[in-house]
Amino acid sequence: MKLQRKNRLRATALGALAVSGALVLTACGSDNNSEGSTGGGGKTSAASNVKCDDAKGQLLASGSSAQKNAMDLWAKNYMAGCSGVEINYKSSSSGEGIVAFNQGTVGFAGSDSALKPEEVADSKKICKTGQGINLPMVGGPIAIGYHLEGVDNLTLDAPTLAKIFDTKIKKWNDPAIAKLNKGAKLPDKAIQPFHRSEDSGTTQNLGKYLGAAAPSDWKYEAEKKWPAPGGQSAVNSSGVAAQVKQVDGSIGYFELSYATSQSIPTVDIATGAAAPVKASSESASKAIAAAKIKGTGKDLALDLDYTTKADGAYPIVLVTYEVVCDKGNKAETLPTVKSFLNYTAGDEGQKLLSDAGYAPIPAEINAKVRETIGSLS
C-alpha cells in the first residue's frame, strides 16, 4: 500500500509537469541541497541551497527520453534555486541527443548508451581542445510492461522474452509462458509486442540483455535501432507505454517511471536466482552496483552485468549518461553546465531518483562523476 500511495503521489506530481518534447520550466519554491562547485563566484541560493555559482541564461540540452521524468524534477528544483537560469531539456532519443551534441547545438546530451568511437571522433570538432565523455547520472530498470486482462502477475525469462520480441512466440497461452506461470489463467490471445521506432539507448540496452542472457534465441546485434522483424512501433518510451496501457494483449519495454506513473503492470524476471525479480529502484541498484568503469581518462562509461543471478538483482538495467566535453566547452554555457550537473550528481539530486522510480548511481562511481564535473573546462 505504501508503494501504491507513493506511485499515486508521484504520478500526480509528474502529471503537473509539461509532457511536451521540450521542457521549459519557471522558477518556484523548493528545498534542495547539492554539493559541488564550478570555481566561479560560489553564489548559493538562499531559497534552496542549490549552488548556482556563475550560472546564467538558458541552457539547451537534449536526448534520452529514459531520463525525462528525472530531468523534469531536476530542472524544476534547480531553477527554483537559481533565479534567471533556464534549463531546456528536449526529450527525444539517445541518438538524436548525440547528433545535437556533435553539431554543437546543446550544452550536454543525455544518452542511454556510451559514445561510440566514431561519435567520440566527431565530438572533437565541437570540443576544440578535448572530446566528448560519458558521465553516468541516472540508473534504473527497463521494465517489461504488459496489458493482459485477467492476469495480474506474470513471470518471464530471457529466452521467452527473446522469442516474444522476435515474434516467435505468438500467443499468451504458449507452453513456454505457461511453464513459468503455473496456475495462471493465460488466455488464447495474440501477443502484440511494441518497440521503439527511433534510435534508442533503451532498445540497445534491452538488446544487450537479450543477447547476453539468451544468446541462442536473440541473434541480433545490440544497436539503437530495433533489429527484429514484426511487432509494432511507437515514438519514445512514453509512446510505447501509452500503447501498452491501451492495447489488451500487448507487451513493451520502457523505464519503470513510465510504468508506475500509468499503473502498468510489469513482468517479474526469472534469472536463475532463488526467486523471480521485480523491477524496482532497489533491485536495479543491486545490479548496477556491480558495474565496472570501462572508460579511460575522464570518460566514465560503465560495463554492466546483464547475466547476473544474484538474489534480488534485476538484470534489465540501463544507465543514462550526460555527454559533455572534457575540455573545450563553450565559455558562455560552461558555468551553467557545471552548476546544473553538480546538482544532479549531488546528494539531493540523486535522492530524487529513488523517489521517482530510478536508481541512484553507486556512491563510489558517483564520487568520480562529481570530481570530473569539477574539472570540466
Side-chain angles (χ1 to χ4, degrees):
M1 291 300 293
K2 183 183 293 185
L3 179 59
Q4 293 174 341
R5 195 157 54 245
K6 180 189 289 185
N7 288 341
R8 285 198 298 270
L9 289 171
R10 186 186 156 279
T12 300
L14 289 176
L17 298 172
V19 294
S20 62
L23 170 71
V24 183
L25 298 170
T26 55
C28 59
S30 177
D31 181 18
N32 304 311
N33 187 5
S34 176
E35 297 179 1
S37 155
T38 65
K43 179 179 67 176
T44 300
S45 164
S48 66
N49 293 324
V50 174
K51 194 147 189 175
C52 306
D53 292 313
D54 294 326
K56 60 183 178 181
Q58 184 184 65
L59 174 62
L60 299 178
S62 70
S64 165
S65 64
Q67 68 172 355
K68 178 189 183 302
N69 292 335
M71 194 61 71
D72 284 355
L73 294 171
W74 279 338
K76 177 186 175 185
N77 290 350
Y78 177 82
M79 290 189 294
C82 295
S83 177
V85 181
E86 187 178 89
I87 306 298
N88 186 331
Y89 182 80
K90 181 182 178 183
S91 171
S92 51
S93 68
S94 297
E96 291 176 57
I98 296 304
V99 168
F101 179 77
N102 281 341
Q103 289 176 342
T105 60
V106 295
F108 70 88
S111 177
D112 306 324
S113 296
L115 292 167
K116 295 180 178 179
E118 59 268 27
E119 292 170 335
V120 173
D122 285 344
S123 74
K124 295 179 180 180
K125 302 171 187 176
I126 299 302
C127 309
K128 298 297 185 182
T129 57
Q131 65 182 42
I133 58 172
N134 305 282
L135 301 179
M137 196 67 70
V138 182
I142 301 174
I144 306 298
Y146 70 98
H147 180 169
L148 191 59
E149 297 294 339
V151 179
D152 297 324
N153 296 288
L154 186 68
T155 295
L156 297 173
D157 59 12
T160 308
L161 270 176
K163 292 172 187 174
I164 287 173
F165 281 115
D166 200 17
T167 63
K168 298 290 174 49
I169 291 180
K170 300 180 183 296
K171 290 289 189 75
W172 278 110
N173 62 349
D174 187 276
I177 300 176
K179 184 178 179 180
L180 292 164
N181 295 274
K182 290 181 170 57
K185 295 182 179 179
L186 298 169
D188 182 18
K189 184 184 292 290
I191 298 174
Q192 299 193 54
F194 282 89
H195 58 262
R196 293 278 290 273
S197 60
E198 77 287 6
D199 285 3
S200 160
T202 310
T203 294
Q204 188 171 37
N205 280 276
L206 176 64
K208 289 178 180 178
Y209 162 73
L210 294 174
S216 297
D217 300 294
W218 191 258
K219 301 294 189 180
Y220 306 102
E221 292 294 323
E223 298 292 347
K224 292 178 181 177
K225 192 70 175 176
W226 181 256
Q232 302 177 63
S233 64
V235 178
N236 295 339
S237 292
S238 58
V240 175
Q243 290 296 320
V244 172
K245 177 75 172 178
Q246 183 178 1
V247 178
D248 186 22
S250 61
I251 188 169
Y253 58 95
F254 32 80
E255 294 67 43
L256 181 61
S257 61
Y258 291 93
T260 53
S261 64
Q262 297 187 52
S263 300
I264 298 171
T266 62
V267 172
D268 296 348
I269 303 299
T271 64
V277 186
K278 294 183 179 297
S280 70
S281 296
E282 294 75 18
S283 62
S285 291
K286 189 165 186 178
I288 294 171
K292 306 296 183 185
I293 295 175
K294 65 179 180 180
T296 58
K298 293 183 179 180
D299 184 81
L300 300 178
L302 301 179
D303 187 14
L304 299 168
D305 180 8
Y306 297 98
T307 62
T308 179
K309 293 180 174 59
D311 287 343
Y314 185 81
I316 319 177
V317 294
L318 62 73
V319 168
T320 300
Y321 301 95
E322 311 310 341
V323 176
V324 295
C325 296
D326 58 354
K327 299 177 183 178
N329 289 276
K330 293 180 180 178
E332 61 270 25
T333 57
L334 178 60
T336 308
V337 168
K338 293 177 72 171
S339 173
F340 180 64
L341 295 185
N342 267 322
Y343 168 67
T344 64
D347 292 338
E348 181 65 18
Q350 289 293 296
K351 181 180 182 299
L352 281 174
L353 294 178
S354 294
D355 297 339
Y358 295 96
I361 299 301
E364 182 179 348
I365 297 171
N366 186 246
K368 295 179 180 180
V369 171
R370 296 193 205 191
E371 179 183 346
T372 302
I373 292 169
S375 71
L376 299 179
S377 62

